[in-house]
Amino acid sequence: MHGEPGHDGPFEKVEEAIWTARPHELLTAADDLLRRYADGAGAEVLLIDYRQAYLVRTISGGDDVPVDNTGPGRAFASQRTVREDGGRLVHLPLTVRGERLGVLSVRLPDGGPAWLDGFAATLARALKIADQGTDLYRRVRRRTRLTLAAEMQWDLLPALAFDSAEFRFAGQLEPAYAVWGDNFDWSASGERLTLTVSNGMGSGTEAAALTHLAISALRNSRRSGGDIAEQAALADEALFARYRGERHVATLLLEFEPATGRVRVIDAGSPRIYRMRNGAAEEVGFEAQMPLGMFGDTRYTTEEFTVDQGDRLVIVSDGVHAALSPAGIPYGESALLQALRATRLQYPAEAVRTMIRHFVAYHEGTEPVDDAVIVCIDWLGARPDAADVSGEA
């Protein structure tokens, strides 16, 4: 009954059924297909919540599943198949080019068919596309109500992670359910990887709207072929035209050249960049320039540095490096470097998740007073024939 992949075999029928399922019926279709073709029972997709702390059930009742110290959580964190109950309960990570969506859990009588991994990969890709055609999955992922500002920021975000031949990338916002003006954006092609980390001043929907305008202007210039200096200039002009210098967006702009590892930088505000190289962590400093929107006619200049194969870059907003413990000690004074060293062997997506937990724990039960963004990039080397990729969904 399980069969092997082949012409008109079970996998081909399953794959076709996945792609033809309507977006809001995809998960029930997956359950039905595993029952019919693999004798599966209780198949369920668990989606990662916005904070990336829990896997949220989508079909059955019951409590959400913590990522830490659970079978599905180990599959999510390690990005490997995990088996429990003598191998009959199988947890498979659902991931698309490094972006971790959740876990497929299913009980199988004999460990499952040979095409189970292929089924999980197809389901993950279909789920990524289906998310654009229904609110179901975004509704499921929230364990509490998002503020309106947070809704605006999450809709603005690109993919939270991406793997390529040249680099691995991941980022995260905190507080996930009530973020205001912090955000990040990225886009990659064979010629360059562009990354921005932004911190819009203020709070609530005003901060979210400010950041939305800034990132839209940066994207408009980038998609028109502008380099980061042109992107910064257009965003500066757009923000000043709207707010007349009363509101601005602190932004760090980076433009990587995959063929050489050369990085062009504009430091227009408070986000900071740290480099892990050969096990040592250090801050990489640049000449500070005016935040976007201060004057409307600022001429931004680029600086340069080079990433080597094996380097890790971590970019944080001021809500991270300037955060204070209850005793008044800045997180960036020593705790941040400790977190960088402690996560040096983890893949970026898991390293970011761990650093966010470490950052939250640093507050000892008190709420952070500002938004926080953490972005991690591992530089793997150059491959000049890479295809164009955009971070936006």
Side-chain angles (χ1 to χ4, degrees):
M1 187 173 190
H2 294 168
E4 297 291 337
H7 182 67
D8 290 332
F11 182 69
E12 284 69 26
K13 294 177 181 177
V14 165
E15 190 173 39
E16 181 181 1
I18 285 293
W19 286 119
T20 55
R22 292 190 292 181
H24 61 281
E25 296 176 344
L26 180 60
L27 302 185
T28 53
D31 179 29
D32 179 67
L33 290 166
L34 287 171
R35 290 178 186 275
R36 188 187 314 173
Y37 292 101
D39 296 332
E44 182 170 30
V45 170
L46 297 94
L47 297 177
I48 191 65
D49 84 306
Y50 281 88
R51 180 163 274 175
Q52 300 210 15
Y54 285 85
L55 291 160
V56 183
R57 298 186 184 276
T58 58
I59 297 177
S60 68
D63 295 334
D64 299 334
V65 180
V67 172
D68 298 329
N69 304 315
T70 64
R74 288 194 297 274
F76 180 84
S78 68
Q79 290 294 286
R80 297 178 180 177
T81 299
V82 170
R83 296 177 180 270
E84 298 183 293
D85 192 18
R88 291 182 292 272
L89 180 57
V90 186
H91 310 292
L92 301 101
L94 298 174
T95 307
V96 180
R97 286 190 173 271
E99 185 178 13
R100 306 185 302 174
L101 309 181
V103 172
L104 169 65
S105 293
V106 59
R107 187 172 294 278
L108 299 160
D110 56 4
W115 45 262
L116 192 60
D117 287 342
F119 176 82
T122 299
L123 179 60
R125 292 193 297 271
L127 186 61
K128 177 71 174 174
I129 296 171
D131 187 51
Q132 302 174 36
T134 177
D135 286 338
L136 173 62
Y137 309 115
R138 300 187 190 207
R139 189 167 66 244
V140 166
R141 287 180 59 203
R142 56 193 69 191
R143 301 185 69 241
T144 187
R145 188 186 180 106
L146 267 69
T147 64
L148 177 56
E151 191 82 53
M152 295 168 68
Q153 294 292 47
W154 281 103
D155 278 349
L156 186 62
L157 275 176
L160 297 183
F162 184 77
D163 288 353
S164 74
E166 301 87 4
F167 65 91
R168 298 190 186 102
F169 163 89
Q172 178 66 9
L173 303 181
E174 180 64 29
Y177 292 91
V179 67
W180 298 334
D182 284 13
N183 212 291
F184 63 86
D185 193 29
W186 68 272
S187 182
S189 70
E191 291 73 37
R192 61 185 178 183
L193 161 67
T194 302
L195 170 67
T196 60
V197 177
S198 300
N199 177 13
M201 68 177 294
S203 61
T205 56
E206 289 186 355
L210 174 70
T211 301
H212 200 295
L213 177 58
I215 290 182
S216 296
L218 292 169
R219 286 177 176 173
N220 179 256
S221 178
R222 187 187 74 213
R223 293 166 181 170
S224 299
D227 60 20
I228 56 173
E230 294 170 301
Q231 293 167 34
L234 179 60
D236 180 56
E237 180 183 349
L239 290 171
F240 186 81
R242 173 65 180 84
Y243 296 102
R244 310 309 299 177
E246 294 181 359
R247 292 184 176 274
H248 49 79
V249 178
T251 303
L252 181 68
L253 301 92
L254 300 138
E255 188 175 79
F256 296 76
E257 190 175 89
T260 63
R262 185 170 63 173
V263 188
R264 299 177 182 87
V265 184
I266 293 175
D267 183 356
S270 56
R272 295 184 183 178
I273 183 169
Y274 297 81
R275 178 172 55 204
M276 286 285 299
R277 176 178 286 176
N278 299 323
E282 63 175 350
E283 183 179 351
V284 183
F286 305 99
E287 181 181 348
Q289 301 181 60
M290 291 295 102
L292 306 181
M294 285 284 286
F295 298 107
D297 58 357
T298 304
R299 299 191 61 167
Y300 292 95
T301 58
T302 60
E303 300 177 70
E304 293 187 0
F305 73 105
T306 302
V307 285
D308 295 338
Q309 186 175 11
D311 279 359
R312 165 169 288 185
L313 302 179
V314 176
I315 301 103
V316 300
S317 65
D318 65 349
V320 177
H321 63 74
L324 300 178
S325 71
I329 301 172
Y331 185 71
E333 189 171 291
S334 62
L336 176 57
L337 294 178
Q338 293 173 5
L340 295 179
R341 289 189 288 267
T343 57
R344 67 188 183 279
L345 300 180
Q346 296 178 339
Y347 275 20
E350 187 60 17
V352 166
R353 195 181 76 85
T354 302
M355 282 188 280
I356 286 288
R357 284 190 306 163
H358 186 271
F359 168 76
V360 171
Y362 187 76
H363 290 78
E364 300 178 13
T366 63
E367 289 295 322
V369 298
D370 196 4
D371 292 353
V373 170
I374 299 179
V375 169
C376 178
I377 302 174
D378 282 355
W379 195 254
L380 307 179
R383 192 193 70 173
D385 60 342
D388 288 358
V389 178
S390 175
E392 298 119 48

